Amino acid sequence: MKFILTFFLVISINIVSEAMTRVDVNFEGESRHYLIYKPNADIKTTSLVIGIHGYTGTASGFEKETTGGFNLSADKYNFIAVYPQGTYFYENKPFGRFLNNTYVSSWNDLTGSKTMTPDGETCAEDAPLYPQFSNCEGTDAGRCAWASCGNDIGFIKKIIDDVKEKYNLNKIYLVGMSNGGMMAHAFACEYPDLLSGVINVVGAPALGLGCEPSNPFNYIIYGGLKDDIVPPIDIISWDKYYYTPINDITDRWSELFECKQKKSSIYNEFDEIKESVYFDCKNGVKIVNLLNMNQGHTWPGVNNSSAGNCRSSSQSDINFSECKQIVNKWGNDFLLERLFHHN
């Protein structure tokens, strides 16, 4: 899907105490913001990694809890880290498994904001319904929709354009968790030539609505076998929503990317993770399929499915619990070494 963008952009920058800069923007009539972190390295960085939070998450929660300190990885690997904030609102009643959560945030990956597919609906007839975003009014979102209907692909593209104006970048990567992984996946389909690589963590798109990119790009998808929220194999989630098996994605894309070889191995230093690498592909890209046999709906190295449902002082305007600093001993390295060694 192509977007025609007409907007007036207003930017204000606030330095926060966490060594991250908050950038507030007016994007297509909505107040949006993102956080940016620049490593304190003597070597000039030319890489950008955009980290996208999941459903009911926040930009600062992704850095502090979801990933267990992603800024430390920015220092280690010398990249600029940007954390966009999804559209959010407050709900006055429990929903899903969120019995005490009134804060709702999400990204429009063009599948979570839909109900109808060529083969039916994205959820069962008796599936629990989720609070819908006001920007879905007047659209074809339908009853199964749980994500924002806003132009989030355009918002991420504008962030990249803004950062490129300030820094001389030659590599741009997207990484995302859950709905954030779905967002990274969707953005890469729209702008494959803009990216050096993508990591999609537990974010398989809705069944029957997943995109297919026009050009190949380096792609990593990670799933947790015990995940019942976005199941990587079994299609049907605990709440009876349907998701694409990750093997279907990598098998199909390996055909599109004309990959000629595949190798499989098992990583078992911390968790047991089955890894399949498709290589000798068009334009020299690789596809990596990672299945953690021990964990569920979590980022590798952070075994808490609620991690990231918080905010730090850089987002004090969000009415949500304060984040705790989690330390990820291995998961970020595990993913980023595979991402950066694509090329």
Side-chain angles (χ1 to χ4, degrees):
M1 181 182 296
K2 301 294 183 183
F3 294 95
I4 299 174
L5 305 181
T6 56
F7 55 85
F8 177 70
L9 183 69
V10 179
I11 298 179
S12 64
I13 298 177
N14 299 300
I15 305 299
V16 300
S17 60
E18 301 165 317
M20 289 194 287
T21 300
R22 172 165 166 161
V23 181
D24 289 278
V25 304
N26 185 317
F27 177 76
E28 297 187 348
E30 289 187 309
S31 296
R32 305 293 298 268
H33 70 269
Y34 60 92
L35 307 178
I36 184 168
Y37 176 81
K38 189 174 184 301
N40 297 318
D42 294 331
I43 302 172
K44 187 176 180 179
T45 181
T46 58
S47 297
L48 168 67
V49 178
I50 297 179
I52 309 175
H53 68 77
Y55 183 69
T56 73
T58 67
S60 53
F62 180 89
E63 192 284 320
K64 285 192 170 297
E65 289 195 0
T66 299
T67 60
F70 206 68
N71 287 347
L72 296 176
S73 295
D75 288 333
K76 179 175 181 178
Y77 295 98
N78 194 33
F79 60 80
I80 296 169
V82 165
Y83 309 104
Q85 174 59 47
T87 304
Y88 65 92
F89 67 97
Y90 299 96
E91 176 70 11
N92 61 5
K93 59 185 178 183
F95 57 96
R97 289 176 171 169
F98 302 101
L99 299 179
N100 300 309
N101 194 15
T102 60
Y103 165 86
V104 187
S105 67
S106 76
W107 301 96
N108 183 9
D109 73 308
L110 308 181
T111 76
S113 57
K114 306 290 185 183
T115 292
M116 296 306 302
T117 80
D119 300 316
E121 295 188 335
T122 57
C123 70
E125 290 185 4
D126 57 345
L129 303 183
Y130 285 78
Q132 293 203 349
F133 285 71
S134 60
N135 58 16
C136 291
E137 294 179 5
T139 73
D140 62 351
R143 68 181 190 90
C144 298
W146 49 265
S148 166
C149 294
N151 180 13
D152 285 322
I153 289 179
F155 178 52
I156 299 296
K157 177 62 164 59
K158 185 57 187 175
I159 291 173
I160 292 173
D161 292 342
D162 288 348
V163 178
K164 286 176 69 176
E165 287 183 1
K166 299 178 178 66
Y167 301 99
N168 182 24
L169 302 174
N170 59 26
K171 291 184 183 298
I172 300 171
Y173 303 90
L174 260 60
V175 303
M177 163 76 181
S178 191
N179 180 220
M182 299 172 191
M183 187 66 226
H185 181 103
F187 184 92
C189 282
E190 189 74 11
Y191 294 105
D193 298 335
L194 188 62
L195 303 174
S196 295
V198 169
I199 302 176
N200 176 354
V201 175
V202 297
L207 186 68
L209 292 175
C211 58
E212 292 187 351
S214 58
N215 288 312
F217 58 91
N218 293 306
Y219 180 73
I220 299 172
I221 188 164
Y222 170 100
L225 184 62
K226 299 179 180 179
D227 187 353
D228 66 352
I229 297 174
V230 183
I233 304 295
D234 294 334
I235 298 178
I236 304 175
S237 65
W238 75 270
D239 50 0
K240 301 182 181 180
Y241 284 68
Y242 308 134
Y243 295 95
T244 309
I246 63 173
N247 291 343
D248 289 3
I249 296 170
T250 54
D251 285 348
R252 174 57 181 159
W253 285 18
S254 68
E255 294 178 3
L256 293 175
F257 296 1
E258 300 177 12
C259 301
K260 296 179 175 63
Q261 298 189 66
K262 176 184 175 181
K263 63 180 180 181
S264 299
S265 59
I266 295 178
Y267 170 94
N268 56 15
E269 185 175 350
F270 294 95
D271 290 338
E272 180 182 344
I273 300 175
K274 292 184 177 180
E275 179 172 9
S276 296
V277 181
Y278 302 79
F279 61 103
D280 196 8
C281 309
K282 188 178 178 180
N283 296 347
V285 306
K286 293 180 181 177
I287 299 173
V288 180
N289 181 318
L290 301 167
L291 181 62
N292 191 318
M293 307 302 291
N294 306 125
Q295 305 300 334
H297 196 73
T298 60
W299 192 271
V302 179
N303 301 327
N304 179 356
S305 61
S306 296
N309 291 336
C310 62
R311 57 90 182 150
S312 67
S313 59
S314 58
Q315 298 185 289
S316 58
D317 53 320
I318 294 178
N319 184 18
F320 213 5
S321 58
E322 186 79 15
C323 290
K324 299 176 182 177
Q325 186 62 67
I326 295 175
V327 177
N328 190 336
K329 295 182 179 179
W330 64 274
N332 291 329
D333 288 338
F334 174 82
L335 292 175
L336 292 174
E337 286 169 5
R338 283 159 175 78
L339 180 68
F340 296 148
H341 291 163
H342 267 315
N343 302 320

